[in-house]
Amino acid sequence: MTIAPIVQSVTVAVPPDRAFILFTGAIGSWWKRGMTIGAKPHEEVVIEPRAGGRWFERDEDGAETEWGKVLAWEPPGRVLLGWQIDAAFKYDPDLTTEVEVTFVPDGTGTRVTLTHSRLERFGESAERIAAQLGGGWPGLLQLFAELTEKEA
């Protein structure tokens, strides 16, 4: 079974290097509160800035919940994240789907494209999870775009 990747794009009014920094380094400030998997809402979402780095959330008590890992770190043009959250929205180190985000110059701004692929790895839940993720990514990218507007 093959599930088509989820592809979402947004154009932001900051250059690629700034968009990359805001997406990866300030993800906790634009990621929707409560749209996380920890026991409590996140205080921070962290993408460690290197291949092999962790991708996780931290709550107000300092408890960390893993989301995945950084598969490729190529500023300012691309980051590839391993999404290790299963169909029950729990961390699973044995499952990895891929979230690639590219940052391409577009006039004076940047075209940011997010592609969530390898969704067939969710097995029999793949179609349901793809529909859920497909409904969630557009709103998250809009929140990211709103953050960049404050920076422009």
Side-chain angles (χ1 to χ4, degrees):
M1 165 178 52
T2 300
I3 302 290
I6 297 163
V7 180
Q8 296 290 322
S9 295
V10 65
T11 300
V12 297
V14 295
D17 59 340
R18 188 68 184 142
F20 185 95
I21 289 168
L22 290 171
F23 190 97
T24 61
I27 189 170
S29 61
W30 58 265
W31 194 276
K32 185 176 180 180
R33 282 188 59 78
M35 192 178 260
T36 53
I37 63 171
K40 295 182 177 180
H42 75 275
E43 287 295 316
E44 289 183 274
V45 177
V46 178
I47 298 173
E48 294 179 336
R50 65 184 182 285
R54 297 182 309 143
W55 182 20
F56 64 96
E57 67 182 90
R58 183 179 297 127
D59 71 19
E60 65 187 12
D61 297 328
E64 295 179 354
T65 303
E66 300 289 329
W67 289 8
K69 58 190 168 193
V70 180
L71 302 174
W73 184 262
E74 301 167 5
R78 176 179 177 257
V79 63
L80 179 62
L81 303 169
W83 174 278
Q84 295 181 286
I85 300 172
D86 67 15
F89 288 91
K90 302 288 181 198
Y91 174 71
D92 180 352
D94 297 324
L95 171 72
T96 303
T97 61
E98 294 179 0
V99 177
E100 178 183 43
V101 187
T102 58
F103 304 84
V104 176
D106 186 353
T108 59
T110 304
R111 182 78 169 161
V112 179
T113 301
L114 181 146
T115 304
H116 195 156
S117 63
R118 306 202 186 274
L119 301 172
E120 61 278 354
R121 293 180 177 171
F122 286 111
E124 56 189 49
S125 300
E127 290 182 6
R128 176 179 59 84
I129 295 302
Q132 285 181 286
L133 293 169
W137 283 122
L140 288 168
L141 278 182
Q142 182 57 43
L143 292 172
F144 168 69
E146 290 169 10
L147 172 71
T148 66
E149 288 173 13
K150 298 173 189 170
E151 297 283 323

